[in-house]
Amino acid sequence: MPYTLKPKPPKAGPEEIYAARIAPDVLAAFSSLAAEQGLSVQAALTQLIREHAQVRQPFAKRVRLQKGGGQRYTAMLPECWVEPHVAMALLIDGNRAGIKRGEAVRQLVSRCLAASSWPDNEGS
């Protein structure tokens, strides 16, 4: 029938990127960098994840440190909400490297700090 109404197709809602554990000094540096740009940590993280969906630089495999040789991930990055295709890009690229989403987010934060010339980026 030509004049019938059809239901509106469901729109994909935003996807949640869950909070990720990170080293306290890395979180402090990322918070400071975000504040310098006038952003909250959550807004900066969202921006970083969206940028990854455009750039798609491959992630590195996770390197396990010797027992007692690394930083403890005792701080938490906040959760954020991104478009479904952005979340899927993060998931796909993480899977290609054999890492989980939390590790992918940690690597994005480390890349951001390295690009901003964070002085202690060798330990990230």
Side-chain angles (χ1 to χ4, degrees):
M1 300 190 95
Y3 294 105
T4 59
L5 296 176
K6 297 177 181 127
K8 184 177 178 182
K11 184 179 177 188
E15 296 276 328
E16 183 177 12
I17 304 296
Y18 296 105
R21 291 191 175 279
I22 196 162
D25 61 331
V26 176
L27 179 58
F30 187 64
S31 297
S32 175
L33 181 62
E36 287 174 16
Q37 302 302 317
L39 299 169
S40 68
V41 174
Q42 187 176 35
L45 190 58
T46 302
Q47 187 180 80
L48 199 55
I49 293 170
R50 284 182 178 144
E51 185 175 332
H52 171 75
Q54 294 176 354
V55 177
R56 301 294 293 267
Q57 181 180 356
F59 291 112
K61 293 194 179 298
R62 184 169 182 211
V63 178
R64 296 237 180 231
L65 298 173
Q66 297 293 336
K67 191 171 186 172
Q71 296 179 353
R72 296 269 182 218
Y73 297 145
T74 56
M76 294 290 283
L77 287 166
E79 71 279 344
C80 59
W81 295 85
V82 295
E83 297 80 8
H85 72 278
V86 172
M88 189 58 68
L90 187 66
L91 183 64
I92 289 170
D93 294 344
N95 284 342
R96 284 185 181 148
I99 60 174
K100 295 189 180 202
R101 197 181 286 189
E103 177 62 21
V105 171
R106 281 189 290 273
Q107 287 188 28
L108 288 178
V109 170
S110 292
R111 289 175 185 176
C112 178
L113 292 173
S116 68
S117 300
W118 182 46
D120 297 326
N121 61 5
E122 290 86 24
S124 303

